[in-house]
Amino acid sequence: MLKKLNSTSQTELNAPVAVKVASVDKIFPTQSGQNILALKNVSLDIKEGEFVAVVGPSGCGKSTLMRIVCGLDRATNGSVYVGNQLVRAPGDDVGVVFQNAVLLPWLDVRGNILLPVDLKGRRSTADEERLQELLKMTRLEGFDSKYPFELSGGMKQRVAICRALMCEPSLLVMDEPFGALDAMTRESMNLELMRICAETNATVMFITHSVAEAVLIADRVAVMTARPGEIAEIIDIDIPRPRDLSVFSLERFNVYTTRIRELLGAETIV
Ligand SMILES: Nc1ncnc2c1ncn2[C@@H]1O[C@H](COP(=O)(O)OP(=O)(O)OP(=O)(O)O)[C@@H](O)[C@H]1O
Ligand SMILES: [Mg+2]
């Protein structure tokens, strides 16, 4: 069963820390022998059930940070904890969604979503129930035997989200998951993601280029500087939930987006 939130309020103030990024540096050696300092002294705590968006100019190290949090890459200095565990390798309890839905073309929707279960062993009745629940939640009911080439971009991304949620990860890490979608699909995916998060109480680290998207969906927005990527400021988004697109016309929305754009300077994209 999906974990239910018993209130529509934002993250509890005293919630335990789900992700701890502590003084992380990342240096990439290059063939020319010149090292690239991609991340510099990045620290960020994300509480259980909290939705944190990370924005920053292209090349500032957002994907690098995401890979380090997921255990797909190692920090040069500093450490990352998910729950109480030091991250050393990709963990079972982290769901990852990449910019382009990475689906296996020879598997149908059902096979793609159940992939993490199949990789671990045999499907149980509970897995089938959870699959049906996720299909319903993402409005993909009736599409379970379709193949990726039969789906729209938004549908593929929803399948990727279902797959990431299949094993009830304590943490969902998303790297510009809606970057390739048109504006309308993107807005409806934002609303759907907020609904899914409210229903599952997932902790989310969400990377985006879009300042408006970050303010619409996040509890806090971490703004990064250009390379070497540092956290310039973390902004609390004090807009009550549930939220919908009317958020865009709030005075507070403009205050937040203006502040973030100031921090990003001329490099802001959206
Ligand atoms: N494997 C690597 N080897 C060398 N340099 C790398 C490597 N991966 C990333 N970099 C460099 O580190 C910096 C940060 O890259 P990263 O992909 O994390 O940026 P980003 O913020 O995700 O950018 P974008 O918004 O364009 O996706 C860039 O300068 C990039 O060239
Ligand atoms: Mg990136």
Side-chain angles (χ1 to χ4, degrees):
M1 280 296 288
L2 296 171
K3 288 167 261 167
K4 299 278 180 195
L5 259 191
N6 51 13
S7 87
T8 55
S9 65
Q10 296 181 53
T11 322
E12 286 172 45
L13 280 176
N14 299 323
V17 174
V19 180
K20 187 167 194 65
V21 178
S23 310
V24 162
D25 296 334
K26 179 67 184 178
I27 298 168
F28 288 112
T30 62
Q31 282 181 339
S32 66
Q34 211 184 4
N35 288 341
I36 290 180
L37 179 58
L39 293 173
K40 189 178 165 195
N41 196 25
V42 172
S43 294
L44 175 67
D45 283 0
I46 307 180
K47 288 180 180 169
E48 266 181 25
E50 193 179 27
F51 196 124
V52 171
V54 179
V55 299
S58 183
C60 75
K62 301 181 296 296
S63 297
T64 302
L65 178 62
M66 174 253 191
R67 285 200 304 272
I68 292 172
V69 168
C70 296
L72 295 168
D73 203 347
R74 295 287 288 270
T76 309
N77 298 304
S79 47
V80 174
Y81 291 84
V82 170
N84 295 322
Q85 296 286 316
L86 181 66
V87 175
R88 295 176 191 277
D92 283 351
D93 50 354
V94 182
V96 186
V97 181
F98 296 97
Q99 181 161 3
N100 296 310
V102 190
L103 302 181
L104 298 180
W106 61 89
L107 291 180
D108 61 7
V109 166
R110 162 183 291 269
N112 268 289
I113 297 175
L114 286 168
L115 187 66
V117 175
D118 292 342
L119 289 174
K120 277 188 194 167
R122 276 182 37 206
R123 296 178 190 180
S124 67
T125 320
D127 293 325
E128 290 290 340
E129 279 171 15
R130 178 153 178 81
L131 170 75
Q132 291 308 323
E133 221 171 338
L134 288 167
L135 289 171
K136 192 172 168 198
M137 200 160 69
T138 53
R139 303 196 181 94
L140 283 169
E141 281 166 309
F143 289 93
D144 45 336
S145 54
K146 298 280 184 211
Y147 284 82
F149 75 90
E150 298 175 282
L151 306 174
S152 73
M155 291 164 90
K156 281 187 228 174
Q157 204 52 267
R158 278 181 277 162
V159 173
I161 292 171
C162 287
R163 184 179 55 196
L165 290 171
M166 187 61 215
C167 290
E168 301 203 12
S170 56
L171 173 66
L172 193 55
V173 181
M174 309 176 94
D175 190 3
E176 302 195 36
F178 309 138
L181 304 181
D182 64 277
M184 267 178 65
T185 311
R186 189 171 184 155
E187 283 177 355
S188 67
M189 289 299 293
N190 286 156
L191 297 177
E192 237 163 82
L193 180 61
M194 284 195 281
R195 190 174 50 78
I196 291 168
C197 291
E199 281 187 30
T200 60
N201 198 25
T203 304
V204 187
M205 180 176 170
F206 184 94
I207 290 163
T208 179
H209 267 119
S210 165
V211 174
E213 181 175 71
V215 174
L216 170 66
I217 58 179
D219 297 315
R220 287 190 299 147
V221 178
V223 185
M224 291 181 69
T225 64
R227 204 182 79 198
E230 294 179 78
I231 304 278
E233 197 167 308
I234 300 176
I235 296 172
D236 284 308
I237 307 298
D238 186 13
I239 298 175
R241 295 186 189 274
R243 298 179 191 164
D244 58 27
L245 299 180
S246 64
V247 163
F248 292 141
S249 50
L250 294 177
E251 178 55 33
R252 246 185 294 178
F253 175 82
N254 287 325
V255 173
Y256 291 133
T257 52
T258 303
R259 175 66 189 141
I260 295 168
R261 289 190 173 115
E262 273 169 14
L263 287 163
L264 290 171
E267 289 163 293
T268 308
I269 289 170
V270 179

